[in-house]
Amino acid sequence: MSSGSGPIRILVADDQADVRSAFRMILDVQPDMVVVAEAADGAAAVQEARRLRPDVVLADIRMPKLDGLEVTRQLAGECKVIVVTTFDLDEYVHTALRHGAAGFLLKRSGPVLLIEAVRAAMAGDALISPQVTVRLLRHMAAPADDRRADAGPAATAPLIAGPIEELTAREREIAELVADGATNAEIGAGLFISPGTVKNHLANVQRKLGARNRVGIAAWVWEQAAGIR
């Protein structure tokens, strides 16, 4: 994976050739990005990702052989997977995040958010399309009976199983800042600690919650606020 000395290496997986071409044009003109491969189905995406070791995989939800959710599950821990889709169904969002997606982006969100999502994933953050975030937060704030009535099991289940171990006061404070969308640098500046210390705290929070990434941490905070646990 990129060490910071070279461009972010990206694999684009989508069964539509015009979508792959459009993403390539958007990303290849960025000075810090290069598309190293394309895949027209999920099985090819996993195979190419394991052969080329890209930093980021952009995976469409609906692809032949393996869908984007399964691609995310299989590649979790090997590279950053951003789910890019036309469909913003709650069940897709929750499943993608539980499988460790480093972002969930609607195709209609536009090129700026696509570029930001790639950079956020590499920075250890996770970008979710604003339309999805707003609905997700509203869903979590709704009464439990309402959530069960209008969504399937995958959408109503908590995004993570934690906490495996209780958080310290400082860890909980940092988790809440993550849920507010703060970056490591912003958290460090606000709490008067170094970004490295923030990173160490976040590693402990992820371990204690059983969260794969910042989205999982944020989801836990939102669920706490909504009284799910």
Side-chain angles (χ1 to χ4, degrees), residues 91-111:
E91 188 155 352
Y92 285 162
V93 180
H94 280 247
T95 302
L97 299 183
R98 282 202 306 276
H99 285 348
F104 192 98
L105 199 64
L106 300 182
K107 290 180 180 177
R108 65 177 182 268
S109 297

Side-chain angles (χ1 to χ4, degrees), residues 7-202:
I8 301 168
R9 302 172 68 252
I10 304 164
L11 187 154
V12 178
D14 195 293
D15 61 343
Q16 298 182 50
D18 57 342
V19 172
R20 298 197 304 272
S21 296
F23 284 178
R24 180 184 281 274
M25 285 191 293
I26 292 167
L27 299 169
D28 272 347
V29 297
Q30 303 305 310
D32 57 341
M33 299 180 191
V34 59
V35 175
V36 296
E38 298 178 17
D41 64 71
V46 172
Q47 182 178 10
E48 287 295 277
R50 288 176 172 162
R51 181 176 71 87
L52 297 171
R53 301 291 181 183
D55 301 302
V56 175
V57 173
L58 299 175
D60 185 30
I61 283 278
R62 295 188 177 179
M63 292 187 289
K65 299 184 180 179
L66 295 177
D67 64 22
L69 301 176
E70 181 61 20
V71 169
T72 303
R73 188 190 70 78
Q74 291 197 24
L75 293 179
E78 298 181 33
C79 58
K80 309 288 188 181
V81 181
I82 300 170
V83 174
V84 187
T85 181
T86 306
F87 308 96
D88 61 344
L89 301 178
D90 286 343
E91 188 155 352
Y92 285 162
V93 180
H94 280 247
T95 302
L97 299 183
R98 282 202 306 276
H99 285 348
F104 192 98
L105 199 64
L106 300 182
K107 290 180 180 177
R108 65 177 182 268
S109 297
V112 173
L113 274 183
L114 177 66
I115 293 164
E116 289 182 359
V118 171
R119 292 187 178 133
M122 289 304 296
D125 297 326
L127 187 149
I128 303 177
S129 284
Q131 305 99 312
V132 176
T133 303
V134 170
R135 198 182 67 252
L136 190 63
L137 287 170
R138 286 175 179 168
H139 174 78
M140 288 178 172
D145 289 345
D146 291 347
R147 288 195 304 271
R148 282 190 287 269
D150 61 11
T156 57
L159 290 171
I160 61 173
I164 299 167
E165 182 181 340
E166 288 298 318
L167 304 187
T168 66
R170 175 48 62 91
E171 288 167 353
R172 183 176 287 272
E173 184 176 23
I174 289 174
E176 290 171 353
L177 291 171
V178 167
D180 286 338
T183 65
N184 286 7
E186 290 168 342
I187 294 171
L191 298 180
F192 303 102
I193 57 179
S194 72
T197 300
V198 174
K199 188 174 181 179
N200 290 338
H201 280 306
L202 284 175

